[in-house]
Amino acid sequence: MKGSFSRVWLPVIALSLFCPATWAAAPHRAPVVRAEKPKPDFVAEKAQAHPIPFLLGTNPSTYKPLPRQDVLITHATVLDGAGHRLDEADVLSRDGRIVAVGQHLDGGSARVIDARGRWVTPGLIDPHSHDGTYSMPLTSIDSDSSDVSELSSPIAADTWIEHAINTQDASFLYALQGGVTTLQVLPGSTPQIGGRAVTLHPIPATNVAAMKFPDAPTGLKMSCGENAKGYYGGKGMRPNSRQGEMANFRDIFSQAEAYRDQWNHYHADPHGPPPSRDLKLDTLAAVLNGDLRVNIHCYRADDMAEMQALATEFDFKITAFHHAVEAYKNTDLFTRTGTCAIVWPDWWGFKMEANDGIRENAAILDAAGACVTVHSDSPVIGQRLNIEAAKAAAAGRHMGLPEPPEHIIKWITSNPAKVLGLEDRIGTLAPGYNADIVIWSGDPFSIYTKADIVMIDGAIAYDRHDPAYQPLSDFQLGRKAGVAQ
């Protein structure tokens, strides 16, 4: 014991005589066994190995433009999608882009298309389509068990509609024949959160990646009102009421806030294991982060106000209310928030929440200064978006709100481009924009007019007078070509 004391404490006592501070600190000093802080490059590598999942990109597009050539369209009546009409005008495209719109343009070696007596517009854009999931023909199997929605839960935020799309659906090519060059395919509206949308070009393809609009922002589909509470309530599940729907929304977005904060904290200080991955919360954290464009199926004015209150509470933006049959009752909501109203001209009375729909809805919203867009929601209407816009404009004209064709064309070109986040690339005929162009046989708002030529990225995708540019899907083989069913 004495020897042990001498070996341990005598050196300490001796040292303290020469350095008292050491003696004072000795009883409090623990053995120094510290792990070195990770070097900056190690921290960065670890963060890179576990990136924030809701910031990850979508499956990449493999779309390649069809064979194209430079084109000069001459002597046309041009509606440019920006509110202008030009008579006896020319449109020049090179390398898939618009180069000039004006008169007496020099196209050089470009192919010349004489459009004398015809009209030219940007390619039409359908912001709400179910093509590829509600396929034509729609069989009883599709009706009983379609791919348009995942119905196992009212919160299907982890699903992506692109995983369900049948590219052989003839609806895509019928839409192309109707002048549609871009469309957004959305999940259905039975779940409260139906999942992620996808933006496509309606061209022949064997897989959806080959149709995907390159680098297009991704949309999310949400739904309020009768559908979710009727379906899930009928099965004894929540929600069975509108208040149940809102409680579900607030619960899942509260979880998404916490999830987003966990990942942000980990990415800022990546020590220890990363948070557990949750695919539903990935999607909703991306909404909160502003990386997904929120599209909400909603009919009644009060429901739209409630959904806007939800968006305010959780600090996200609603890009568009779809269907929005009572939007005319609350135009201030749209002008104040910048949310677009995506409407039909005359769907009414097919369900309780559609009973107050009026034909003048679009015109009233437009007159108030709101962003207005016409959509299909149906493969049949998807072939005739120009006529849907014409009907909505006619209703406005009858109530004393006339608008000229150069304004109405925005409802199916530049306004839906804004909904898709592509307003700087499509929807307008102006230098630098993609050469998505339709040459119409006459006034595009006449029931007698047809799309003669449809161009996507400067390539002729459809020509009504040339069988070489009249693509068919597998569903159409053995049927008379070009006849919509």
Side-chain angles (χ1 to χ4, degrees):
M1 184 72 180
K2 289 182 179 179
S4 175
F5 177 87
S6 299
R7 287 195 303 272
V8 174
W9 288 105
L10 285 177
V12 174
I13 293 170
L15 180 63
S16 69
L17 296 175
F18 296 95
C19 187
T22 303
W23 170 248
H28 305 287
R29 179 173 294 170
V32 179
V33 183
R34 295 192 186 98
E36 292 186 5
K37 288 185 178 181
K39 295 180 180 179
D41 58 343
F42 174 82
V43 173
E45 288 172 6
K46 186 172 182 183
Q48 186 176 10
H50 298 282
I52 298 178
F54 51 85
L55 298 182
L56 297 177
T58 59
N59 295 328
S61 167
T62 61
Y63 164 80
K64 291 182 173 54
L66 299 169
R68 61 193 180 194
Q69 59 185 163
D70 299 341
V71 172
L72 175 64
I73 303 168
T74 63
H75 304 296
T77 299
V78 175
L79 307 179
D80 68 358
H84 306 115
R85 170 175 174 162
L86 297 86
D87 295 314
E88 279 292 309
D90 306 338
V91 178
L92 176 62
S93 69
R94 292 190 189 280
D95 298 322
R97 298 292 182 94
I98 304 293
V99 173
V101 180
Q103 293 180 323
H104 310 300
L105 299 181
D106 181 4
S109 60
R111 173 189 173 184
V112 177
I113 299 176
D114 188 346
R116 199 181 309 269
R118 296 188 284 179
W119 295 48
V120 171
T121 71
L124 307 190
I125 303 168
D126 188 348
H128 187 128
S129 170
H130 296 295
D131 289 357
T133 54
Y134 274 151
S135 298
M136 293 179 67
L138 187 69
T139 67
S140 59
I141 295 174
D142 294 315
S143 180
D144 294 338
S145 181
S146 81
D147 286 328
V148 75
S149 294
E150 172 55 47
L151 300 178
S152 59
S153 168
I155 307 298
D158 50 340
T159 64
W160 301 41
I161 196 63
E162 67 185 77
H163 298 148
I165 289 174
N166 182 351
T167 61
Q168 299 300 305
D169 183 3
S171 302
F172 289 121
L173 301 182
Y174 291 140
L176 177 67
Q177 294 170 19
V180 174
T181 55
T182 303
L183 46 81
Q184 177 176 233
V185 180
L186 293 161
S189 54
T190 299
Q192 289 183 254
I193 302 179
R196 301 197 192 200
V198 65
T199 300
L200 306 175
H201 286 308
I203 59 171
T206 57
N207 60 81
V208 72
M211 301 174 71
K212 287 180 70 171
F213 195 114
D215 302 319
T218 303
L220 174 74
K221 175 70 175 295
M222 293 172 57
S223 175
C224 73
E226 291 179 15
N227 286 12
K229 74 186 187 77
Y231 180 83
Y232 294 101
K235 295 181 179 296
M237 299 169 61
R238 174 171 163 169
N240 58 31
S241 63
R242 277 178 163 82
Q243 59 266 41
E245 290 180 357
M246 192 56 67
N248 276 1
F249 280 133
R250 298 185 72 236
D251 175 61
I252 197 66
F253 274 109
S254 294
Q255 294 179 47
E257 281 187 324
Y259 181 76
R260 176 195 59 182
D261 293 346
Q262 289 171 7
W263 271 101
N264 285 339
H265 176 75
Y266 171 77
H267 201 256
D269 186 19
H271 299 92
S276 298
R277 186 85 183 270
D278 186 309
L279 296 180
K280 290 184 178 181
L281 297 183
D282 275 356
T283 291
L284 299 180
V287 169
L288 299 178
N289 209 52
D291 295 314
L292 291 180
R293 304 180 71 80
V294 177
N295 300 269
I296 304 183
H297 159 116
C298 223
Y299 286 72
R300 286 182 2 192
D302 57 327
D303 284 341
M304 288 182 266
E306 289 296 327
M307 294 305 293
Q308 181 55 51
L310 177 78
T312 300
E313 177 181 358
F314 290 97
D315 194 26
F316 66 85
K317 177 174 175 55
I318 299 171
T319 297
F321 282 114
H322 293 236
H323 313 326
V325 298
E326 290 188 11
Y328 66 93
K329 295 182 180 182
N330 191 3
T331 59
D332 177 64
L333 184 152
F334 294 90
T335 56
R336 173 170 47 86
T337 63
T339 297
C340 290
I342 301 180
V343 303
W344 298 293
D346 52 7
W347 283 35
W348 165 88
F350 58 95
K351 56 196 301 188
M352 286 298 296
E353 58 191 0
N355 277 348
D356 267 359
I358 61 173
R359 293 184 175 91
E360 297 83 3
N361 190 24
I364 292 172
L365 286 161
D366 186 82
C371 166
V372 178
T373 292
V374 174
H375 67 326
S376 71
D377 195 32
S378 147
V380 176
I381 291 178
Q383 306 168 37
R384 302 171 176 86
L385 282 181
N386 55 317
I387 301 305
E388 293 296 288
K391 289 190 294 183
R397 185 167 59 251
H398 292 159
M399 74 170 299
L401 295 173
E403 289 289 355
E406 56 266 31
H407 182 81
I408 302 306
I409 197 66
K410 295 170 65 176
W411 296 357
I412 48 177
T413 56
S414 53
N415 284 2
K418 178 181 177 182
V419 169
L420 302 185
L422 296 169
E423 64 270 32
D424 60 342
R425 297 170 65 183
I426 59 174
T428 303
L429 298 179
Y433 279 75
N434 294 7
D436 293 359
I437 304 169
V438 184
I439 302 175
W440 301 88
S441 61
D443 181 345
F445 300 118
S446 166
I447 193 66
Y448 301 106
T449 293
K450 297 182 181 295
D452 278 347
I453 294 176
V454 181
M455 299 170 60
I456 300 177
D457 286 325
I460 295 179
Y462 171 74
D463 186 331
R464 186 164 69 99
H465 301 290
D466 187 345
Y469 295 96
Q470 296 172 4
L472 297 174
S473 76
D474 287 351
F475 284 145
Q476 294 168 292
L477 295 178
R479 298 183 176 91
K480 186 177 179 181
V483 177
Q485 303 297 314

